[in-house]
Amino acid sequence: MPRSEIMPLWQKFVEDCHNCRACPLGATRTNCVISRGSIQAPVMLIGEGPGVEEDRQGLPFVGRSGRLLDDLLLALGFEKTDFHIGNIVKCRPPGNRVPTTEEAEACRPLLGRQFNLVKPKLIVTLGSTAWRWFTRQEGQISKIRGQWVKKGGIELMPTFHPAYVLRNPAARTLLWDDLAACYQRLQELRAEARAAADV
Ligand code: URA
């Protein structure tokens, strides 16, 4: 869809997010935290929920874990236009706790709309909360990470949350490997699209 058609839909989506009071987090947030990166992007990364800095700035992954994520993505060769970063919930759970079932379910329709606007080719879920709520599947992230999973025709890579990697530096190479697999897959998809355009 051309940008001129996407923008009004995106602006309405953003307005609806800012007006959302579907769960109690709407009353305690400073800002509704929607996305960072390209509006339409081939790779969509999904985290858990905003922390204190994200709530303050209104942008996802702008604290320490976000800096690690950006460092890895850019070192791997991703362009800033290649990715869109969001979260399972758009408002900060007080005390940085894990979002409740009620909060994650209440936010799901907005995440669905976001996904339909971004139209990613690849999804990366960061940590177990994102995996669980995006796929509605259980699973221990250390066991399922690093393997592509098909979800409604989209390829999804579960990996560690960068905050976990900050607490467990040995996991850094595994997060790197999973994001590298994503970069590699993106290049393959682009090569396939070029080849298809040539025939
Ligand atoms: N952790 C998350 O899961 N999301 C953010 O936006 C920031 C930290």
Side-chain angles (χ1 to χ4, degrees):
M1 202 187 276
R3 199 177 159 79
S4 58
E5 285 175 37
I6 280 289
M7 281 322 284
L9 297 174
W10 179 258
Q11 276 153 9
K12 174 76 174 88
F13 165 70
V14 168
E15 193 185 312
D16 290 348
C17 290
H18 287 297
N19 290 332
C20 181
R21 296 286 183 278
C23 84
L25 297 182
T28 53
R29 70 178 178 224
T30 309
N31 282 298
C32 180
V33 176
I34 303 169
S35 73
R36 190 159 70 74
S38 245
I39 292 176
Q40 289 204 301
V43 181
M44 183 169 178
L45 298 112
I46 304 176
E48 181 175 300
V52 66
E53 197 50 34
E54 288 77 19
D55 178 58
R56 200 176 67 76
Q57 294 189 37
L59 291 167
F61 282 98
V62 287
R64 274 185 75 216
S65 59
R67 281 196 292 280
L68 171 61
L69 184 61
D70 283 0
D71 286 351
L72 295 178
L73 290 171
L74 297 178
L76 278 162
F78 283 98
E79 303 284 336
K80 287 196 172 154
T81 48
D82 287 339
F83 54 84
H84 175 108
I85 306 179
N87 279 308
I88 291 294
V89 293
K90 293 182 169 43
C91 303
R92 180 182 179 230
N96 290 350
R97 62 165 170 71
V98 175
T100 64
T101 301
E102 183 203 10
E103 292 156 1
E105 287 295 350
C107 224
R108 200 176 168 85
L110 286 176
L111 185 61
R113 276 174 70 187
Q114 186 169 357
F115 172 82
N116 286 333
L117 288 166
V118 177
K119 295 203 189 317
K121 305 234 175 318
L122 304 173
I123 297 265
V124 179
T125 54
L126 301 163
S128 57
T129 301
W131 163 262
R132 181 146 37 94
W133 288 110
F134 195 77
T135 65
R136 290 197 195 277
Q137 279 174 248
E138 293 299 323
Q140 222 179 312
I141 205 72
S142 55
K143 300 230 171 73
I144 56 177
R145 61 142 285 274
Q147 290 160 49
W148 289 106
V149 177
K150 275 254 176 171
K151 166 90 182 137
I154 302 266
E155 293 166 73
L156 184 151
M157 171 64 72
T159 191
F160 289 121
H161 194 289
Y164 171 84
V165 172
L166 287 172
R167 295 192 301 274
N168 300 275
R172 188 185 171 105
T173 55
L174 300 175
L175 176 58
W176 170 273
D177 289 349
D178 299 347
L179 295 175
C182 192
Y183 183 76
Q184 170 70 30
R185 187 72 192 116
L186 179 61
Q187 304 318 312
E188 286 167 12
L189 291 174
R190 283 182 167 153
E192 284 167 26
R194 277 196 300 273
D198 281 348
V199 288

